């Protein structure tokens, strides 16, 4: 018998539930429409795909957990579309993700991933393991692959606190959903390389939390220095990058005042070098 | 070919209702009661892992009495419905009223159309915040839906406990400790046996919490709460 309220479904994944029963609501739901539009054009070749994702988001491990941070700029070609966009999301009590790529699908994936983890927890009565969450995100990135060919890239950087291992963990992804764990730090987006260069020079194992936060903000500053797609601290409007701390206590937002203070110190050092 | 027997609809419904009632009467009871900061749910449940009370959404909880497999299915359907609605529209658009309506429709349809009715009784409760009142809905095996105030009871000895709580004549919501000891004493009095805290499943919808307001209280939590 067909009952609208009791769909015949037994699976703990919200993403699979949407895909099966409400495909139009999934991020890939548009792909049919887009493909129909672009059917006249040949598919772009895989090798030379230009993947624009003007952003820098990064994560650094420290002694008790992970710092995750990102800039605030969104661009449309050579125009700045948004100065205050938020690229670092709290996903559940012990995990956060940062995103690079097309803003709409990125935010949609973060939202869907939040619901996915909460849904699983409510249905099963227990939280997914840190590894399980990272794998699930990989499957969602993989499902997004058809959209990548339409130019709508979503690249997440996932950090979680592994309660069983009592350590923070960082996962990066490729476009096909491949999942790779990073042992120390990672950055993605157009300024990712610049940020990684900074982190490579200054990173030490077992950093304390304030140092890790300082390094994260320094790396973002240097990335903004060299990359047009990354926004630096906007002193006039008072817009600063955002950062979150992921550790045994859960997810903590770093206050804007704290970030502002760190940048004030950093900028003073830079200025003294110029004179 | 044998002729099918004629059974009058009245007789059929009565038989089904009796069957469902018998199934539910075997189960233990669950109480939901309003307290100062929200709603307290207490179930007699010897299992520490098979829950009768569960979170559905930010400020909505579910409790089921009767056949485990059947109310577990309803619980999962409710979570799917709520998460879908919250994802499609917004988190504040998920309401206990629409959820209770959905349950009522589904349980009612199954009662009238299926061979075997569901042997369940369920509660959907929502804690109100920002000046809104709490909502408590009790849904029976035949899909009938009852809007309760102050307290709601489901399960085997529901009527007796309801009468007992009515006698107490609560005029204003008690605090959490008072509400919990009231629930425990009512369950004990009707079941005429002493209950250990380990054999209780206790949860609250606490309006002072942000976001997800559902919280389970472990035996240690309840012990601490009840200790003078």
């Amino acid at each position: 018998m067909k009952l609208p309220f009791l769909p015949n479904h037994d699976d703990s994944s919200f993403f699979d539930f949407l895909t099966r029963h409400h495909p139009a609501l999934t991020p890939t739901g548009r792909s049919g429409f887009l493909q129909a539009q672009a059917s006249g054009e040949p598919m772009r070749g895989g090798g030379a795909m230009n993947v624009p994702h003007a952003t820098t988001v990064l994560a650094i491990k420290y002694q008790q957990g992970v710092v995750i941070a990102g800039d605030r700029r969104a661009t449309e070609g050579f125009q700045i579309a948004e100065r205050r966009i938020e690229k670092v999301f709290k996903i559940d009590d012990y995990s956060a993700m940062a995103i690079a790529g097309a803003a709409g699908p990125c935010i949609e994936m973060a939202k869907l991933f939040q619901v996915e983890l909460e849904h699983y927890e409510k249905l099963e009565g227990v939280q997914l393991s840190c590894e399980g969450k990272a794998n699930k995100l990989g499957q969602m990135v993989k499902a997004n692959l058809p959209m990548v060919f339409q130019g709508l890239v979503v690249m997440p950087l996932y950090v979680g606190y592994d309660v069983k291992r009592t350590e923070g963990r960082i996962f990066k992804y490729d476009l096909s959903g491949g999942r790779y764990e990073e042992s120390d730090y990672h950055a993605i987006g157009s300024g990712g390389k610049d940020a990684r260069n900074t982190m490579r020079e200054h990173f030490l194992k077992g950093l304390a939390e304030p140092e890790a936060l300082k390094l994260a903000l320094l790396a973002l500053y240097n990335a903004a220095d060299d990359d047009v797609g990354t926004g630096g601290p906007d002193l006039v409007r008072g817009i600063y990058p955002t950062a979150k701390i992921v550790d045994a206590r859960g997810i903590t937002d770093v206050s804007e005042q704290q970030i502002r203070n760190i940048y004030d110190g950093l900028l003073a050092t830079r200025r003294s070098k110029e004179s | 070919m044998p002729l099918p027997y004629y059974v009058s609809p009245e007789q059929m419904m009565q038989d089904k209702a009796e069957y469902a009632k018998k199934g539910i009467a075997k189960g233990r009871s669950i109480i939901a009661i309003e307290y100062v900061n929200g709603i307290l749910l207490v179930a007699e449940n010897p299992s520490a892992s098979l829950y009768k009370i569960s979170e559905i959404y930010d400020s909505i909880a579910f409790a089921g009495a009767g056949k485990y497999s059947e109310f577990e299915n309803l619980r999962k359907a409710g979570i799917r419905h709520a998460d879908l609605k919250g994802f499609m529209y917004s988190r504040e658009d998920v309401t206990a009223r629409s959820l209770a309506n959905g349950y009522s429709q589904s349980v009612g349809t199954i009662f009238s159309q299926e061979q075997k009715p569901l042997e369940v009784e369920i509660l959907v409760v929502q804690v109100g915040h920002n000046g809104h009142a709490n909502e408590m809905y009790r849904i029976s095996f035949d899909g009938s839906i009852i809007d309760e105030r102050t307290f709601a009871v489901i399960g085997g000895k529901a009527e007796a406990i309801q009468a007992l709580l009515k006698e107490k004549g609560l005029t204003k919501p008690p605090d959490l400790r008072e509400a919990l000891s009231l629930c425990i004493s009512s369950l004990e009095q009707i079941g005429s046996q002493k209950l250990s805290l380990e054999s209780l499943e206790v949860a609250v919808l606490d309006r002072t919490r942000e976001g997800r307001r559902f919280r389970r209280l472990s035996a240690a939590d309840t012990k601490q709460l009840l200790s003078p």
Side-chain angles (χ1 to χ4, degrees), chain B residues 8 30-31 34 68 98 109 118 210 214-215 222:
Chain B
S8 72
I30 304 172
I31 307 178
E34 289 180 290
Y68 181 79
S98 98
T109 311
L118 295 179
E210 280 300 309
F214 180 87
R215 187 163 65 95
T222 48

Side-chain angles (χ1 to χ4, degrees), chain A residues 44-54 148-153 175 190:
Chain A
R44 257 189 281 177
M49 209 164 55
N50 184 19
V51 178
H53 36 255
V148 172
F149 295 115
Q150 314 288 348
L152 297 175
V153 177
L175 288 175
S190 58

Side-chain angles (χ1 to χ4, degrees), chain A residues 192-237:
Chain A
K193 196 171 165 227
D194 305 307
R196 285 199 298 275
N197 285 340
T198 304
M199 291 190 283
R200 180 163 44 238
E201 291 307 313
H202 298 283
F203 181 81
L204 295 168
K205 290 262 186 205
L207 279 173
E209 185 191 302
E211 269 103 65
L213 181 60
K214 217 167 150 184
L215 175 55
L217 297 181
L218 174 70
L220 279 179
Y221 184 85
N222 286 347
D225 217 22
D226 281 337
D227 174 49
V228 282
T230 304
D234 186 335
L235 304 176
V236 178
R237 294 187 184 83

Side-chain angles (χ1 to χ4, degrees), chain A residues 2-41:
Chain A
K2 198 172 177 311
L3 289 170
F5 191 60
L6 294 171
N8 195 10
H9 189 86
D10 38 35
D11 188 36
S12 299
S13 168
F14 184 70
F15 183 64
D16 296 348
F17 174 65
L18 276 191
T19 313
R20 181 95 51 85
H21 296 275
H22 303 273
L25 288 176
T26 59
T28 33
R30 321 182 190 84
S31 66
F33 168 70
L34 285 173
Q35 258 157 16
Q37 272 201 325
S39 55
E41 300 166 25

